[in-house]
Amino acid sequence: MSDINPTKLGKAVTKYRQRLGISASELARRTGLNTATITRTELGEITQAKIETVHVLAQALGIPLTELLTESKIIDGQDFPAMTPYLRTKYKDLPTDAIREIETHFETIAAKHGITGFDGPAPGDDE
């Protein structure tokens, strides 16, 4: 994980809160945080946000934690797993050939857009 960017975290929280059409005080109520903390977060004044706080915010905003972490530049794309371990973990019931089909499709689309070089673990090394 990289260092938190308080400005980006604040902008992300504000964006998602406004999409929900709720006030800072309503977000505070939903998270159990006080309104001042929400306001200070949105203003980029919280420089040492705890992961637990970011998680509670994501839940109250109805978004995945990873989305808020990524948008806030707390984590970047390098912190995410490769496609194979992700699929095997997220979709445990998919047969191996279905996972390979998804990977092949993804690689085809990515290559079409100039993205290549999918390094990941060898089969079975990600479990």
Side-chain angles (χ1 to χ4, degrees), residues 4-126:
I4 186 173
N5 183 319
T7 302
K8 291 191 185 276
L9 174 61
K11 286 182 180 181
V13 170
T14 302
K15 176 178 89 173
Y16 290 112
R17 178 182 60 74
Q18 289 175 342
R19 279 188 187 169
L20 287 175
I22 62 173
S23 66
S25 59
E26 174 59 18
L27 182 57
R29 187 192 67 73
R30 292 181 184 191
T31 60
L33 302 170
N34 64 50
T35 304
T37 299
I38 300 297
T39 302
R40 290 185 62 228
T41 299
E42 289 188 354
L43 292 173
E45 295 175 357
I46 305 288
T47 59
Q48 298 296 319
K50 295 178 184 173
I51 190 67
E52 296 84 4
T53 302
V54 178
H55 186 244
V56 167
L57 285 166
Q59 286 180 318
L61 293 167
I63 59 172
L65 175 61
T66 52
E67 187 169 337
L68 189 54
L69 292 173
T70 303
E71 192 156 336
S72 302
K73 303 299 182 195
I74 296 171
I75 60 174
D76 60 26
Q78 300 303 313
D79 294 319
F80 290 110
M83 183 64 75
T84 300
Y86 170 78
L87 290 171
R88 287 184 184 159
T89 303
K90 177 97 175 160
Y91 303 102
K92 291 178 171 101
D93 295 333
L94 272 179
T96 303
D97 59 332
I99 290 174
R100 185 65 209 138
E101 185 179 346
I102 293 169
E103 290 173 327
T104 301
H105 187 67
F106 173 77
E107 289 168 5
T108 301
I109 293 170
K112 178 181 171 183
H113 295 280
I115 301 169
T116 59
F118 299 98
D119 294 329
D125 284 352
D126 56 334

